[in-house]
Amino acid sequence: MTRCRVPGDKSIAHRALILAPLASGRSILRGIPTGRDVQSTVHAMRALGADFRSQGEGVLAVEGGLEATGPSAPIDCDKSGTTARLLAGLLAGLGVPGELDGDESLRRRPMDRVVYPLQAMGAPIRYLGERGTLPIRFDGRASGALRPLRHVPRISSAQVKSALLLAGLTGGTRVDVIESQQSRDHSERLLSWMGAPVEVDTKEDRVRVSLDPEGWHRPLRPLDLDVPGDLSSAAFLIVAALLTGRDLVVEGVGLNPTRTGLLDILRSMGAGVHTELEGSAASEPWGSVRVEAADLRPFRIAPAMVPRLLDEIPALAVLAARIPGTSMIEGAAELRHKESDRLGLTARNLDRLGVDCDETPDGLRIRGSATPLSGLVETGGDHRLAMAFGVLARLPGMEIAVQEPEAVEVSFPGFWDELDALVPRSEAIGRRPTR
Ligand code: S3P
């Protein structure tokens, strides 16, 4: 039985770094990942005046009571969509002037999904380049609260929901976000734990998250948080273990039910999956996951399941490529707007390597086989594609090279070493796939 740990959860870390400076005292955050995306939020919050002090690797002491100042230079969110969208909500709510920008991949991603509802609240935001994308400028607001907002997004998005909650919290305005499929709920959990007036109302066909700061003057309680490991990072090691017939235990990993769709799919495929809850960190459940290899069946991901495994689809796609039978992914068009067009690029790469794969407007149909695969994988600089195809490349009998392997730095800087430890390179040489 191999055991491993993964870097801290990116989604929880972004939110903790944004909320801790708003608290009424000193927070301690441990397990902050060193990957590029989360560091973008560290830099962005520092630019707004946040006081972060390093207390060792991944440990930050954060002074509360942020008095945000408009940063003199544009805030560079690099490749991080979560940084850009959450910061948009924060700047809109705080009413400070500022500019948000990103690298060329982030400049291609849609920002109108947050800008439009923030403008509807009265936030003065302008596109500086192409309409709908970064860079964007916040003109600052002299006085007066934002208008309340009731928003029903076309697609569920935790980044949009979180941006609007941050705008409501810091702008002193009621916000209701109604999703037909619940997106990850880390913001709601952290905000409630810190004492913010957040309510979640779940009905069969929708989830409404409301934040109503009227009459609420209590300060936010500081955080003392150990960020649990990121199940989205663990997904790649779990798939590598299953494809090489190993049992694996991932320790100290986040088990928030809005994120564990991967485990349900693996169970549906016939894998042994056992979770053990060991604690809760600021309302975030965490524990260990044990995965036992088995003869696996193909899977079907229905649209309603997508938000719970959104970032795990590249890992599941390479798993499908080696499982006999046809696996289906539906309702995942949102993947076209991630760090790359993840549906298109996954299909193109699988096809190029010799996997029988059809791309649909919102999904993939993958017929798995044991045929040896060979070719060059184009990652488009997307960390999740580099890791997914990196796992495929490591299987015995493959002759696959992955372009831009350094893309893993975005979320999992030690990924290649962890993969080496789990599936030694020597195993991959000169052997044919066992399935
Ligand atoms: C994230 C939400 C998800 C996910 C992304 C991180 C977040 O995107 O894909 O990697 O931390 O809020 P959506 O905004 O599409 O839910």
Side-chain angles (χ1 to χ4, degrees), residues 143-267:
S143 64
L146 295 173
R147 289 190 285 276
L149 178 80
R150 179 182 181 279
H151 188 57
V152 186
R154 207 171 40 80
I155 23 115
S156 302
S157 161
Q159 293 174 353
V160 171
K161 175 177 61 180
S162 305
L164 300 178
L165 292 175
L166 284 168
L169 180 82
T170 54
T173 303
R174 179 173 179 124
V175 168
D176 294 274
V177 182
I178 297 141
E179 293 182 326
S180 52
Q181 288 155 9
Q182 187 183 23
S183 61
R184 60 191 67 187
D185 68 354
H186 304 299
S187 297
E188 298 88 302
R189 284 176 188 256
L190 270 185
L191 282 165
S192 295
W193 192 90
M194 294 174 84
V198 180
E199 270 177 29
V200 180
D201 177 38
T202 308
K203 292 256 166 28
E204 217 163 84
D205 55 343
R206 58 112 182 105
V207 178
R208 187 179 66 220
V209 179
S210 309
L211 181 137
D212 187 1
E214 209 187 306
W216 176 73
H217 299 294
R218 272 175 301 158
L220 287 176
R221 168 176 164 204
L223 290 165
D224 182 347
L225 176 68
D226 281 285
V227 179
D230 197 326
L231 186 59
S232 297
S233 298
F236 302 101
L237 299 175
I238 290 173
V239 166
L242 288 173
L243 284 175
T244 54
R246 288 176 162 81
D247 296 345
L248 178 69
V249 177
V250 187
E251 294 173 338
V253 70
L255 292 172
N256 179 317
T258 62
R259 295 281 299 282
T260 51
L262 166 78
L263 304 181
D264 296 341
I265 290 292
L266 297 178
R267 285 190 187 102

Side-chain angles (χ1 to χ4, degrees), residues 6-10 12-14 16-17 20 26-34 38 53-62 193 223-229 252 280-282 286:
V6 287
D9 188 280
K10 214 153 69 76
I12 298 174
H14 283 298
L17 289 163
R26 170 182 274 217
S27 293
I28 297 285
L29 309 178
R30 296 175 215 86
I32 294 293
T34 55
V38 169
R53 294 201 190 158
S54 171
Q55 300 206 328
E57 182 160 325
V59 184
L60 283 179
V62 184
W193 192 90
L223 290 165
D224 182 347
L225 176 68
D226 281 285
V227 179
S280 148
W286 64 271

Side-chain angles (χ1 to χ4, degrees), residues 11 15 82 156-160 183-184 310-311 334 338 384:
S11 292
R15 287 157 172 80
T82 311
S156 302
S157 161
Q159 293 174 353
V160 171
S183 61
R184 60 191 67 187
L310 191 60
D311 293 340
E334 206 26 46
K338 296 295 174 187
R384 300 211 194 273

